[in-house]
């Protein structure tokens, strides 16, 4: 039986117990949320080192970091270094998006070393194989694609992004009525190109049951990709995006009926005032499935700082109900991230997630901010460093910018407000 | 006559013309907004190098960078370097918050070199003088304080932050009913300490007319400081903060009646879901005076990354109607910023301001994002670099992460979605 089926039978699985302990929530509550599909716990039977995490309603907002090789940087060893950085930054999940070099070795190594759930986008590897074997991505066979998915399941991948909602009808309409930036999802573009070239329906949609069967073998969670997500603000919340979302809602029901856990992916590039509407729409159309958003970026003109544009959008999305944030790094739109970019991206997303958790009244979230405020009131610097999201960077700045040891800091010095208040207010 | 008085007489001043041209708005519209006090154009008659900027309704959201020496870093030359960095990052205003070294030299040098409005917090220098002269800040005389303000006006300061709303009554109530983090505004703490020590009313409140007279001499704009702003999320939107805001609303009316331009400062540390309410409240209680916010920070646990926590809060505040964002740098809560921190802080605030301007439908804001989307569609990298908020950093990452020149980038390489779409969609 799968995780969701066991929850439906009333079982409190070891995964549910673990998540309940992490979140400070009763196991029975988590079990009921898993049974209803409002929380997912991606946990492939073959991912031995996994410490399961929950994603969804009432839980702490989670953060994912994308890793993986690319044609110019095919060395999987570099991606393992980034995995270590990601884990040290307390990431909640990683995705291996490798498209070059020893792809399977990279995936297996990441899974072997990762204590957090690992996701992949199998169509990338299928595209690489097709290019090698047939000379073109669009020559890929449906069977080839399902074989890659089966390989990923067997290797221990906890969740897979599959662009099932990019149907032939939506793509043909989009071709007739183009948007500014077409398709920016790699998986979405591959499936759309494949359909237009062959005149066939997307096999991930037409053979969705086959996908569900593969997921069942090792209990893989589906992450329904948004292949038609907007690639710029001008395309946000448009017809193509919403038509795909409607299809994803239909597939959420089918996955749940088949006993497969499912979440839904979301945009992308969205103006600040459309973000809440996007979350409300996803929750409604997709039957409250956990919502996994990429950013969203609130402007298109911040290359080099897209982690900040994404933190703004991510905080607002999560406060409105998004459950899971995919990080964006400073090198987004420019190149493959470095290990340092991975760190910057994760911390920015964690700030966004935490800001939202304060709004969501997630258990324990407020405790951290209160403890920091107390440490500041007491001018207890060691405690402040401990409580910081990134103690390492805080300590470094504190040391660099305070060459002379003192109780106050080098910004205000003897004019420290807290120090003045201490003197004249008397009570603390 | 002052700026606001001339606007009331129907004059389209050279400052109004300049702002109208910058914003792409009719001069008559700007004039009417200035006359009503909904837009301010801080422009001291003695600030010769100033290119005036407007702050307020319907205008592009502006960004301020704080500069200034501190006891551990008293060299004014360093602050001039930061000014150059700030101007190169297209900052809209700077404040000189110096508290050490040759304070007046620093201020005069900054004003002499700054094409953007310069603000100060005169009570800092008054406190430094009092400490030197009498040995304690609280021994400062009201006359001393007003003398410093007059000096700042004469030197060409365009706007001054004055903590007029920290009244004796509010401070005594706060002493009886303490909040978690007391007072974190330096100016607020100095005035509160002064009142508690001497048992006298805040002279900036009790002698507000004297302040207005000084402002009139060189046409200085008032920025009513929020001395009781929350210093942590737990204190946000509390009684002390709102009581002060009510007083500030009363003083906005008095300043406008006296023909002095006025804006109002706001928090600070505010949970994401209280930000909009804070803006609505300020606009209502302060008669739509331009709102100048510090951050707000949406979490207390992000030292080292407070520019990101502030970008989240700033974007949401500005989208709700805040007009002017004071930057926060990565070294906030840790020490005086470096020149690099100044750059990071300004860019983060500019992202927040621009994300909000897209929501506010500010003229020209959307053009930039559309142009970037077109450059991305066309894989026109040079154009993308030009359109970036920080072309320098974008170029650096692009070069560093793309060792092999190619049309696509090193993230997706031959699997570039845009490239695939070009092939199979045909159109464009």
């Amino acid at each position: 039986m799968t995780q969701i089926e066991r929850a439906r039978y009333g079982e409190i699985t070891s995964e549910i117990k673990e998540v309940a302990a992490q979140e400070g929530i009763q196991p029975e509550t988590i079990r009921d949320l898993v049974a209803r599909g409002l929380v997912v716990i991606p946990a492939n039977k073959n991912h031995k080192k996994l410490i399961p995490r929950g994603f969804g309603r009432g839980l702490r907002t989670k953060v994912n970091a994308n890793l993986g090789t690319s044609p110019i940087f095919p060395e999987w060893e570099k991606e393992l270094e980034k995995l270590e950085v990601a884990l040290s930054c307390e990431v909640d999940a990683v995705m291996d998006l490798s498209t070059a070099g020893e792809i399977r070795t990279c995936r297996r190594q990441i899974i072997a070393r990762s204590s957090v759930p690992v996701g992949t986008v199998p169509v990338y590897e299928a595209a690489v194989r097709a290019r090698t074997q047939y000379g073109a991505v669009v020559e890929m066979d449906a069977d080839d694609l399902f074989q890659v998915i089966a390989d990923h399941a067997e290797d221990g991948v906890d969740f897979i992004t599959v662009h099932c909602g990019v149907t032939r009808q939506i793509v043909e309409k989009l071709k007739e009525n183009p948007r500014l930036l077409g398709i920016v999802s790699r998986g979405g573009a591959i499936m759309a190109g494949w359909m237009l070239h062959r005149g066939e329906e997307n096999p991930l949609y037409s053979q969705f049951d086959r996908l569900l069967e593969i997921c069942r073998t090792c209990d893989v969670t589906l992450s329904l990709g948004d292949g038609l997500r907007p690639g710029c603000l001008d395309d946000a919340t448009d017809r193509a995006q919403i038509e795909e979302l409607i299809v994803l809602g239909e597939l959420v029901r089918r996955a749940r009926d088949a006993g497969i856990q499912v979440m839904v992916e979301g945009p992308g590039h969205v103006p600040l005032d459309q973000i809440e509407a996007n979350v409300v729409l996803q929750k409604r159309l997709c039957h409250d499935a956990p919502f996994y958003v990429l950013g969203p970026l609130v402007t298109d003109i911040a290359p080099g700082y897209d982690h900040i544009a994404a933190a703004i959008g991510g905080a607002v999305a999560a406060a409105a109900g998004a459950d899971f944030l995919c990080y964006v790094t400073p090198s987004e739109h420019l190149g493959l991230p470095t290990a340092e970019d991975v760190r910057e991206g994760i911390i920015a997303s964690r700030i966004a997630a935490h800001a939202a958790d304060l709004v969501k009244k997630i258990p324990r979230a407020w405790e951290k901010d209160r403890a920091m405020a107390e440490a500041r009131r007491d001018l207890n610097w060691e405690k402040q460093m401990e409580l910081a999201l990134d103690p390492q960077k805080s300590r470094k700045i504190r040391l660099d910018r305070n060459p002379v040891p003192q109780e106050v800091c080098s910004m205000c010095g003897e004019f420290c407000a807290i120090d003045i208040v201490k003197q004249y207010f008397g009570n603390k």
Side-chain angles (χ1 to χ4, degrees), chain A:
Chain A
M1 282 204 295
T2 62
Q3 188 69 231
I4 189 172
E5 287 170 339
R6 291 162 72 190
R8 283 180 192 153
Y9 274 94
E11 184 183 342
I12 291 179
T13 64
S14 62
E15 291 81 10
I16 289 172
K17 255 183 227 153
E18 172 61 36
V19 169
Q22 283 169 22
E23 304 276 346
I25 295 176
Q26 290 302 315
E28 291 73 15
T29 306
I30 302 289
R31 181 197 56 201
D32 295 348
L33 289 164
V34 170
R36 295 167 63 198
L38 306 193
V39 161
V40 297
I41 306 179
N44 186 308
K45 289 173 184 169
N46 294 339
H47 185 181
K48 301 302 177 198
K49 213 194 157 183
L50 176 71
I51 300 170
R53 259 78 170 172
F55 303 78
R57 183 182 290 178
L59 308 192
R60 189 171 57 76
T61 303
K62 305 300 188 296
V63 169
N64 173 74
N66 287 339
L67 311 173
T69 62
S70 77
I72 303 279
F73 297 106
E75 308 84 4
W76 55 263
E77 295 86 347
K78 293 265 180 215
E79 301 311 305
L80 293 188
E81 286 170 26
K82 292 180 195 168
L83 171 66
E84 293 309 319
V85 168
L87 293 173
S88 76
C89 293
E90 298 178 38
V91 79
D92 301 297
V94 296
M95 291 190 78
D96 173 16
L97 307 185
S98 292
T99 55
E102 297 170 46
I103 294 179
R104 193 160 200 179
T105 304
C106 187
R107 178 168 64 250
R108 287 175 165 175
Q109 288 282 345
I110 285 176
I111 293 167
R113 289 157 194 250
S114 175
S115 56
V116 301
V118 176
T120 58
V121 188
V123 74
Y124 294 174
E125 190 178 5
V128 173
R129 288 192 198 171
R131 216 174 155 103
T132 311
Q133 207 173 338
Y134 313 119
V137 169
V138 290
E139 300 302 334
M140 172 178 73
D141 212 77
D143 290 346
D144 298 335
L145 177 55
F146 286 109
Q147 184 54 53
V148 172
I149 296 172
D151 291 349
H152 284 227
E154 196 198 322
D155 286 345
V157 170
D158 300 294
F159 61 101
I160 53 169
T161 295
V162 272
H163 301 88
C164 309
V166 184
T167 63
R168 204 177 150 193
Q169 193 188 16
I170 301 176
V171 169
E172 280 172 355
K173 266 190 225 155
L174 181 61
K175 196 183 169 184
E176 281 161 35
N177 306 287
R179 39 154 70 155
L180 204 162
L181 207 38
I183 302 180
V184 295
S185 149
R186 265 186 286 184
I190 291 168
M191 295 320 300
W194 191 91
M195 286 186 277
L196 290 174
H197 179 73
R198 302 167 71 108
E200 292 173 31
E201 181 56 278
N202 179 350
L204 296 170
Y205 178 73
S206 61
Q207 301 181 53
F208 189 66
D209 290 336
R210 190 172 168 189
L211 185 61
L212 294 173
E213 274 169 42
I214 296 171
C215 288
R216 168 169 289 280
T217 57
C218 303
D219 202 357
V220 174
T221 296
L222 283 179
S223 187
L224 297 176
D226 53 336
L228 299 168
R229 67 170 174 269
C232 64
L233 296 193
D234 213 54
D235 291 340
T237 329
D238 74 350
R239 173 184 182 151
Q241 184 198 321
I242 305 306
E243 282 181 336
E244 182 187 30
L245 190 64
I246 291 169
V247 176
L248 299 185
E250 165 200 326
L251 300 179
V252 164
R253 281 252 163 98
R254 287 176 60 188
R256 284 182 185 165
D257 289 348
I260 301 301
Q261 296 190 103
V262 59
M263 52 188 171
V264 172
E265 298 184 11
H269 293 241
V270 185
L272 200 46
D273 60 342
Q274 292 177 25
I275 292 175
E276 190 179 351
N278 268 271
V279 177
V280 171
L281 209 52
Q282 182 275 345
K283 289 285 174 189
R284 180 72 184 97
L285 292 173
C286 297
H287 321 292
D288 294 309
F291 195 21
Y292 176 23
V293 296
L294 174 56
L297 297 170
V298 293
T299 173
D300 296 333
I301 63 168
Y305 302 85
D306 273 336
H307 61 307
I308 296 180
I312 297 170
V316 172
D323 307 285
F324 185 19
L325 305 179
C326 184
Y327 85 166
V328 173
T329 79
S331 66
E332 183 74 18
H333 295 111
L334 296 169
L336 200 74
T338 63
E340 186 50 33
D341 291 333
V342 168
R343 163 185 292 277
E344 291 279 318
I346 292 171
I347 301 289
S349 287
R350 285 188 60 207
I351 292 169
H354 180 69
D357 285 346
L358 295 167
V359 174
K360 289 177 174 174
K361 313 285 181 206
I362 296 298
R364 299 176 192 159
W366 274 86
E367 288 169 23
K368 295 179 188 174
D369 292 68
R370 279 202 198 98
M372 179 65 89
E374 285 166 9
R376 284 183 175 148
R377 177 195 62 198
D378 302 338
L379 292 171
N380 183 341
W381 291 95
E382 186 44 37
K383 190 87 192 158
Q384 289 177 51
M385 300 301 111
E386 276 169 33
L387 290 166
L389 265 176
D390 184 351
Q392 193 184 327
K393 189 173 175 191
S394 295
R395 267 183 231 281
K396 188 178 178 314
I397 298 178
R398 167 89 184 142
L399 279 172
D400 286 354
R401 299 302 289 163
N402 292 278
V404 183
Q406 51 179 352
E407 202 197 5
V408 292
C409 90
S410 67
M411 184 178 264
C412 306
E414 60 217 42
F415 300 101
C416 174
I418 290 170
D419 211 35
I420 295 171
V421 168
K422 259 192 187 172
Q423 285 175 55
Y424 296 100
F425 271 59
N427 43 24
K428 277 272 167 101

